[in-house]
Amino acid sequence: CPECGKRTQTPVANSGRRARCGRCGEVFVVPSPEDEGARPTEPAPPKRLVTDVVSFDCRVCGTRLTAPTTAVGKKVRCPDCGALTVAPKPPPPKKANIPAAMFEDSYEVYEDEVQPTAEQLQAGLPKTIPVHCEQCQTLMHARQEQVGGELICPDCGTRTRVRAPVAAKPMIDVARESYDVHAAAEHDTPNDAVRALIAEGQRQAEEEAAASPERPELPAAPLLQGVLRMLLRNNIGGRFAALSLVFMISLSLFAYAIPAFNGIGGGKVAMAAGAVMGVCLAMLASLMMVIALGFLAALVITIVTESSEGNDHLQTTPSPNPTDWFGEALTLGLAFGAAAAPGWIVGMIAGGGAMAVLGGGVSLVLLFPMVLLSQLDLGSPFALVSPALLAAAPRVLGSLLLLWIQSALLAAAVVAALVPLSHLIDLYALPLVAPLALAAALLYFRLVGRLAWLVAERTGQ
């Protein structure tokens, strides 16, 4: 500045133009590079970014780790799992992506006559295909020639295959095709587009109805005919064998843990060691028993549901995830408790002991089928009474009586096999009853499902 002497820099293209000093406000003419006092300096080259840290993933748990570059080639301990991971070399620095608009004009002004429309500008753009990352759902765009290849997500690095776009179905212009405008003297007639839409909807409904499986015809005696057909299928036989084995092992561990826990075996040291061993075996047996009972609950609920649809084999199978069995286990537990509670209370009032056990057993046989079907009908384990089932009970009273008789016979068969083993043979023979009890349980729930099928047919559900 000729007034205050402040030095500044400006592009050479501004030579000869007037400028105002930012310090004193003096207006002066920008000199050219040849003028004395104007000494333009070349801009210093940009400094190369120095990466002083390197980031990488733990080889065990995938935790993102960051270490200084001095640790490259050395092992770095993960703060989460404690595993050691060798720090890799940092990637080479990327070239700065400077937009061309920084060095030249970014916009162009069209004249009125040659200004393109929005449709023309859109048509001039390259055709791209939207692709969502399969891991983090980041939206990416691929070119037509990239169909069949893979895109690397810029956020998570996951590779996602580019699939060909699906042709969009033509949409009906509602404003033009759904209504016809007629003269006042004419009568309105059905629009062809509306009739086509109605016909298409009817056709799709007919196709869906034809594709959905129809319920088989109900036999004359559903609780006697075809009952064993489902239980003899392979999808039930394998699960029955696995559950029988787990129950037998669990009961065997209990049979060994009970006397060991009591310290039978000799001196004080032997008694203490036996007690510790008994506790460990009892805990292991309890864990196995809980897992097996959870899967059994999911299996029998599936049997009841499939049987109510008239199926003779499982269309759906229980989930292999134990956390998914909690709902079925809760349903069965509440059904058993609610069905046995009235008889047990009456037995306790009458004298307790054996009377309470007998009353609870009778009440369980009589009320359990209706309580379980009420829960499944209303879709909640806490819905113990269904008004629709109570209204339909008189229509299926004969089959309900038959189910009660069959339930009593199954319970008597299990007890008849259990009593001699527990009193006459030995405690270690009790696991032999597990397959018989499991078979009786599967047969019982199959009968409950067939009763539900009969109720659905009689009530039109």
Side-chain angles (χ1 to χ4, degrees), residues 332-426:
L332 285 182
L334 292 177
F336 274 111
W344 182 82
I345 294 174
V346 172
M348 291 296 294
I349 296 175
M355 292 297 297
V357 175
L358 179 61
V362 174
S363 177
L364 182 64
V365 171
L366 298 179
L367 301 181
F368 180 78
M370 299 304 293
V371 173
L372 178 61
L373 295 183
S374 297
Q375 292 172 315
L376 298 179
D377 180 43
L378 300 178
S380 173
F382 302 99
L384 304 178
V385 179
S386 172
L389 283 177
L390 290 180
R395 304 181 186 180
V396 295
L397 185 58
S399 298
L400 188 58
L401 291 174
L402 178 59
L403 177 61
W404 290 339
I405 296 174
Q406 292 171 323
S407 304
L409 293 177
L410 290 174
V414 175
V415 172
L418 182 62
V419 171
L421 291 176
S422 60
H423 288 81
L424 301 180
I425 303 178
D426 191 62

Side-chain angles (χ1 to χ4, degrees), residues 152-234:
I152 300 178
C153 177
D155 293 339
C156 66
T158 303
R159 294 179 177 269
T160 303
R161 182 170 299 278
V162 180
R163 296 177 175 82
V166 181
K169 296 182 179 180
M171 299 182 64
I172 296 178
D173 191 345
V174 179
R176 299 180 181 178
E177 302 184 25
S178 296
Y179 304 95
D180 285 338
V181 179
H182 303 277
E186 299 180 2
H187 297 287
D188 291 342
T189 58
N191 181 264
D192 294 338
V194 175
R195 288 188 294 179
L197 284 176
I198 296 175
E200 179 67 16
Q202 293 177 348
R203 183 185 64 81
Q204 293 180 358
E206 293 175 356
E207 291 180 354
E208 293 177 357
S212 60
E214 296 183 358
R215 183 180 293 171
E217 183 179 357
L218 180 70
L223 272 68
L224 297 175
Q225 298 173 324
V227 175
L228 297 177
R229 196 173 300 156
M230 173 182 285
L231 303 181
L232 298 179
R233 303 279 181 171
N234 291 333

Side-chain angles (χ1 to χ4, degrees), residues 33-47:
E34 293 77 10
D35 295 342
E36 184 180 358
R39 300 176 183 175
T41 58
E42 294 293 334
K47 295 182 179 180

Side-chain angles (χ1 to χ4, degrees), residues 29 58-59 101 119 137-138 200 204 211 264 310 331:
V29 177
C58 174
R59 62 181 179 85
E119 290 79 5
Q137 303 301 316
T138 296
E200 179 67 16
Q204 293 180 358
I264 298 176
T331 299

Side-chain angles (χ1 to χ4, degrees), residues 259-277:
F261 182 73
N262 292 331
I264 298 176
K268 296 182 179 180
V269 176
M271 294 176 62
V276 173
M277 180 62 69

